[in-house]
Amino acid sequence: MTEQQEASEDAVMTRIGQAVILLHAGDREEARNRLGEIWAEIGAEGDSLHRCTLAHYMADAQDDPADELAWDLRALTAADGLRPGEEPGLPPGRRPGQGVSPTPGEGPGQTPGEGAGQTIGEGAGQGVGQDARPGPQQAVRVFYPSLHLSLAADYVKLRRPEAARIHLARARAATGALTDDGYGNGVRAAIARLERRLAAEPGEGPRPFPEQYS
């Protein structure tokens, strides 16, 4: 990647981070507007990590749970699009807007009366623009627990517990990629909280996925 390309990548992440600051400050409408402008510029063929990160935050900015679900699905689709050879713009476990203290209770898996803790990339002391970069597959593996946790929370809000259980099981199955740090422990705790909530709901519990036994 050339210096010019790196500068362009950093500029996109900086703009996303600025929108996230507005979101955390409570200006959801302006955050949505700015993220929407960046999304239009990135386009369908844009950097997958940019689209994944932006869509995940755009979901947090939605007022309608159905819109939140749609954006979280876009984030998952973008993560699936991170192919070998495509260099991600951020290290694993980092999101734009870091250094900004998130509002307590924000993040994937948030349900009424519960806080999920941290979301993708909200790790203590981490920030955009740091040098170490993993391979794309490593970055994606770290993202998946939070992505599926967000989807599970969306389906809970939409009163679709069976769909929520499916994504919660996938989130749990993907936790092997998480490290034993503040971010990883926060995601695991959020999964456990949502599991307890769904255990009290009528219907079957989460069914195991093959990767849970691998």
Side-chain angles (χ1 to χ4, degrees), residues 90-176:
L90 287 176
R94 297 181 186 172
R95 270 174 87 173
Q98 290 170 338
V100 180
S101 297
T103 303
E106 284 188 343
Q110 180 183 359
T111 54
E114 296 183 353
Q118 297 167 313
T119 56
I120 292 178
E122 288 171 348
Q126 296 173 332
V128 177
Q130 299 186 25
D131 293 334
R133 296 185 179 190
Q137 298 309 307
Q138 180 183 355
V140 172
R141 289 181 67 236
V142 173
F143 285 179
Y144 275 118
S146 256
L147 293 173
H148 284 294
L149 178 57
S150 289
L151 286 164
D154 294 342
Y155 284 119
V156 167
K157 294 176 186 176
L158 292 167
R159 301 182 183 276
R160 296 175 59 184
E162 291 305 320
R165 290 186 177 98
I166 289 171
H167 282 283
L168 192 58
R170 289 174 179 168
R172 173 63 71 186
T175 56

Side-chain angles (χ1 to χ4, degrees), residues 12 17 20 32 42 50-51 53 60 63 66 70-71 77 99 104 109 121 135 145 153 160 163 167 169 180 189 196 205:
V12 172
V20 172
R32 281 195 300 268
I42 293 174
H50 287 169
R51 289 188 291 113
T53 306
D60 293 341
D63 297 323
W71 281 105
T77 298
R160 296 175 59 184
H167 282 283
D180 188 16
R196 289 193 295 270

Side-chain angles (χ1 to χ4, degrees), residues 5-51:
Q5 287 173 319
E6 287 181 354
S8 177
E9 297 283 315
D10 290 343
V12 172
M13 285 301 188
T14 296
R15 291 173 63 200
I16 294 174
Q18 290 169 344
V20 172
I21 291 173
L22 290 171
L23 176 61
H24 287 162
D27 194 346
R28 297 165 66 84
E29 182 176 1
E30 182 61 22
R32 281 195 300 268
N33 291 339
R34 293 197 186 189
L35 290 172
E37 290 174 2
I38 301 169
W39 181 264
E41 293 172 15
I42 293 174
E45 301 302 321
D47 180 88
S48 294
L49 190 62
H50 287 169
R51 289 188 291 113

